[in-house]
Amino acid sequence: MSNAPLMPKATAVWLVENTSLSFAQIADFCKLHELEVKAVADGDAAQGIRGHDPITNGQLTREEIEKGQKNGDYRLQLLVSKVRLPPVKPRKGPRYTPVSRRQDRPNAILWLVRNHPELKDSQVMRLVGTTKTTIAAIRDRTHWNAQNLTPMDPVTLGLCSQIDLDFEVSKGAKANPDAVIRREEEPEEQTLLSAEETTREGAGDLDVESVFAKLKQLKRDETDEDDDDDHRGRR
């Protein structure tokens, strides 16, 4: 159990207003800094916070407060709750997705299906918090918005972390290595050359003399055309 009372600032407000305990004693009990308690007493902090009575909540006794008021060096002891709450078990199931991000889930699912076929439906469900029905609809192109879906990285969309994605991908690759091999054998789509390839030495060297020769030829052609127009106008 935590050695600090519930609602420490509200408890400090109550102790300041209802007891003669020192700032050091209240700060030690509420796990606050002594200057914070002093600011509460001066009205510079915790404004608008209603005092929280630790006695009625079973966190402190009147006898304990009296001991502290009589002896400035005494440190108040927090009462241990007699009620034992069962430990909270981690919730299993799809990841919770905020409402503002739910519209991006189909795009993330399409990205995972295309780029990581080794992932099982259960893994995709854990990453983006979806259902098997939605995954099947996107795989079969029967999703109601299939025509407008665009593959988007779930990490970029904020639906999962890169660590979670890497973990699921490595796990899926071990369980389904054939899918990884098929993905690597697929021809890559043509993309723009990288900056390293376009700027490397010897790539795209220009013949300066030929360029200037072409420019001179263009000027001559323009001059000849102007001369022909002048002759026609005189006739």
Side-chain angles (χ1 to χ4, degrees), residues 22-235:
S22 66
F23 295 157
Q25 289 174 309
I26 297 175
D28 180 76
F29 179 74
C30 297
K31 304 308 175 186
L32 300 174
H33 195 279
E34 188 173 345
L35 293 178
E36 290 184 81
V37 179
K38 185 178 183 300
V40 170
D42 295 338
D44 298 330
Q47 296 178 355
I49 297 180
R50 185 176 180 180
H52 186 70
D53 186 355
I55 299 176
T56 58
N57 292 306
Q59 300 181 91
L60 195 61
T61 62
R62 292 191 182 275
E63 291 76 10
E64 193 73 10
I65 293 177
E66 291 176 358
K67 289 180 182 179
Q69 292 178 147
K70 292 178 180 179
N71 182 5
D73 295 330
Y74 183 78
R75 293 295 177 256
L76 303 179
Q77 301 297 320
L78 180 69
L79 291 180
V80 179
S81 176
K82 297 179 181 179
V83 178
R84 297 293 180 181
L85 298 176
V88 180
K89 296 181 179 180
R91 180 178 177 271
K92 296 182 179 180
R95 177 191 298 272
Y96 172 77
T97 304
V99 177
S100 59
R101 294 291 185 183
R102 291 179 186 178
Q103 60 184 0
D104 297 327
R105 281 189 297 191
N107 294 328
I109 296 170
L110 182 59
W111 188 91
L112 291 171
V113 169
R114 286 189 178 181
N115 293 277
H116 297 287
E118 68 273 16
L119 293 177
K120 298 179 180 179
D121 289 353
S122 57
Q123 293 178 294
V124 177
M125 291 168 60
R126 283 196 297 270
L127 288 172
V128 299
T130 185
T131 62
K132 286 188 177 182
T133 304
T134 304
I135 298 173
I138 293 175
R139 288 184 189 274
D140 303 336
R141 305 294 294 177
T142 57
H143 190 269
W144 66 272
N145 196 29
Q147 300 298 328
N148 299 321
L149 294 183
T150 303
M152 298 184 70
D153 188 346
V155 177
T156 304
L157 294 174
L159 297 175
C160 68
S161 65
Q162 187 64 51
I163 296 176
D164 293 337
L165 178 60
D166 294 341
F167 174 77
E168 296 294 348
V169 169
S170 61
K171 185 177 178 181
K174 293 179 181 179
N176 191 9
D178 294 337
V180 180
I181 296 174
R182 288 195 301 270
R183 183 188 65 188
E184 294 176 351
E185 291 178 350
E186 291 179 356
E188 296 183 358
E189 297 180 359
Q190 293 184 352
T191 59
L192 295 175
L193 294 177
S194 63
E196 294 179 356
E197 294 180 355
T198 56
T199 58
R200 71 172 184 268
E201 186 177 356
D205 292 338
L206 297 177
D207 188 349
V208 179
E209 294 181 359
S210 63
V211 172
F212 280 109
K214 290 181 180 180
L215 291 175
K216 291 180 180 179
Q217 184 63 36
L218 290 173
K219 290 182 179 179
R220 290 175 184 173
D221 294 340
E222 292 177 357
T223 303
D224 294 340
E225 290 179 359
D226 293 339
D227 293 340
D228 292 340
D229 292 338
D230 291 341
H231 288 303
R232 290 173 184 172
R234 292 173 184 176
R235 293 178 183 176

